[in-house]
């Protein structure tokens, strides 16, 4: 089992940048593929980014592609989400999630077994 804690959220102006961190506890962090999702009140949870166990492959939601970058440091049990060129539409609570499954769609929440508490990102216009 792994516990996840997000940090780094805050208030920024449109066009600015933020870096979110997800700190994981446990000895088996490298056995989990990791994802980032976001949720706005009244809307469905939206897929943001995914990274494989070793960090060799990444995938992004269409709305953030080219602006966000997911990375991981297995030695530090950390996953990062670098967010650049932020837009007001990026305002949401961002969640870090982990999956130990060997199959499943990385863009679906049901694929993930563990979730962090979320961190608020607000982008002003």
């Amino acid at each position: 089992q792994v516990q996840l804690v997000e940090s780094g959220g805050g208030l920024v102006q449109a066009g600015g940048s933020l870096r979110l961190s997800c700190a994981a506890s446990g000895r088996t962090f490298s056995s989990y593929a990791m994802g980032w999702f976001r949720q706005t009140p009244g809307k469905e949870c939206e897929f943001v980014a995914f990274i494989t166990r070793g960090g060799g492959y990444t995938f992004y939601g269409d709305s953030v592609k080219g602006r966000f970058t997911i990375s991981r440091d297995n030695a530090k049990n950390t996953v990062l989400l670098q967010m650049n060129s932020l837009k007001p539409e990026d305002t949401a609570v961002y969640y870090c999630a982990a999956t130990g499954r060997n199959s499943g769609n990385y863009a679906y929440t049901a694929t993930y077994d563990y979730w962090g508490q979320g961190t608020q990102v607000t982008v002003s216009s």
Side-chain angles (χ1 to χ4, degrees), residues 41-119:
K43 298 181 64 178
E44 297 179 16
C45 192
E46 180 185 16
F47 168 71
V48 175
F50 171 84
I51 189 166
T52 52
R53 291 178 175 88
Y57 297 91
T58 58
F59 301 94
Y60 299 91
D62 290 341
S63 63
V64 307
K65 195 173 302 180
R67 300 187 298 119
F68 291 11
T69 302
I70 186 173
S71 62
R72 69 189 296 164
D73 186 340
N74 287 346
K76 297 181 178 179
N77 281 20
T78 301
V79 176
L80 303 176
L81 184 68
Q82 179 66 46
M83 306 186 295
N84 298 326
S85 301
L86 283 162
K87 306 174 181 179
E89 307 94 274
D90 296 318
T91 295
V93 177
Y94 284 72
Y95 296 92
C96 175
T99 177
R101 301 172 187 262
N102 293 317
S103 62
N105 192 320
Y106 56 77
Y108 293 166
T109 58
T111 300
Y112 297 83
D113 304 302
Y114 307 100
W115 294 81
Q117 83 290 343
T119 185

Side-chain angles (χ1 to χ4, degrees), residues 22 25-26 42 59 75 106 110 115 118 121 124:
C22 176
S25 63
F59 301 94
Y106 56 77
W115 294 81
V121 172
S124 62

